[in-house]
Each structure stands twice: as C-alpha cells, then as structure tokens.
Amino acid sequence: MNALRTAQAADLPRMMEIIAQAQAYMAACGVNQWQDGYPDEARIAEDIRRQNARVYVEGQDVVAMAVLVTDGEPTYARIYQGEWKTQEPYACIHRLAVCAERRGKGVADAMLSACEAQALAQGLDAVRIDTHRDNHAMQRLLLRNGYVRCGIIYLESGSERIALEKCLRKPGNPG
C-alpha cells in the first residue's frame, strides 16, 4: 500500500540518503540548489521533531520525503514581481525529494497530492512552494500538478526563488 505518513526518527538515515541522491541529481543537471550542504541532518531531524516531515511509503520502502508546514513561512510574507493567489491560511511544502530508483515514475506527483490532501483536511485553502530558477524538473512537476507561478521570494540567505501556489478550493466553495 502506498501512503504518506509523518516521518519518525528511524526514517532519518533513509531521508538523508534520498537527499544525497537529489543533491547528486541536481548537480548533474547543473542546478545550483542543495549544493552547499543544505538540507543537513540537523535540519531534517528538526523537521521530524516538529512533526512536519513526511515520507511517502510504497509497501515497506520510503521512496520520497517532504516537509509540510502549516503554520506559515516567514520568507513568503513578501513576494516580488507578482502576488499570491490566495490569502492565508495556507500550507507550504519544502525539501521535496524522491529516491533515485523511483524518479520519473509518478512518485513526486503522488507525494504532492497526498500533502495537498493533508492540507485540505486541516482546513487550509492553498499550498505554496518555491524552487530554484534553474530547477526546471521541479517547475515542470509543479505546473503539471496545477501550481501557478506567483512571483519571486527571497530566502533568509538572500537567495532568489520562484514562488508558486495551488488553490485547493474553488472560490465560494467551502469544501
């Protein structure tokens, strides 16, 4: 059975393995994202501790991971060259990665869909996400899944990211 679940401390080694695979993939694609040691083990352990980390499981195997934050994102407070499509409340997805052996097999689509379902179940109206300008694979994934480019945000480090959002409810439809 395929399912999204909250990550546990025991998932940390596999999550770090998936991150290392994603870092290598991005480097091979010429994407200068996650090439500076981010996200490191301490960051992922903190995501787990806060119960924001999610893993996507096929059978008994963890094949993807992401972080689903439902209490806001400070770097999303200001958006440039555009605007968000919805007002708060929203969820945001960070650190989405799929293991190398399942890349290109629909796992990222399933992971997004499962995160969106969790956000909707918590009464959130939208999901926001950001990605590196050169990360064309992620941009294609997001656009294919109904995300709309809204503008540019800047991380705490000052790095620019493309900001996208997906409305989970139609206007005037409470559910």
Side-chain angles (χ1 to χ4, degrees), residues 2 4 56 58 63-66 93 96-98 102-117 137-147 166:
N2 301 345
L4 182 73
Y56 192 78
E58 289 182 342
V63 297
M65 59 157 290
I93 298 173
L96 173 65
V98 176
R102 300 296 293 141
R103 192 176 299 122
K105 300 195 182 332
V107 173
D109 298 286
M111 182 76 165
L112 280 175
S113 180
C115 285
E116 292 162 8
M138 179 61 79
Q139 291 174 49
R140 283 191 301 272
L141 167 73
L142 295 170
L143 293 172
R144 179 174 71 239
N145 280 278
Y147 287 76
K166 180 177 182 178

Side-chain angles (χ1 to χ4, degrees), residues 77-91:
R78 299 188 89 177
I79 188 167
Y80 303 87
Q81 300 174 29
E83 62 186 13
W84 296 113
K85 303 299 178 197
T86 65
Q87 301 301 312
E88 295 184 32
Y90 64 89

Side-chain angles (χ1 to χ4, degrees), residues 7 27 49 52 54 61 71 93 124 141 143 172:
R49 187 191 70 73
N52 291 334
R54 302 290 188 272
D61 300 324
D71 59 356
I93 298 173
L124 301 171
L141 167 73
L143 293 172

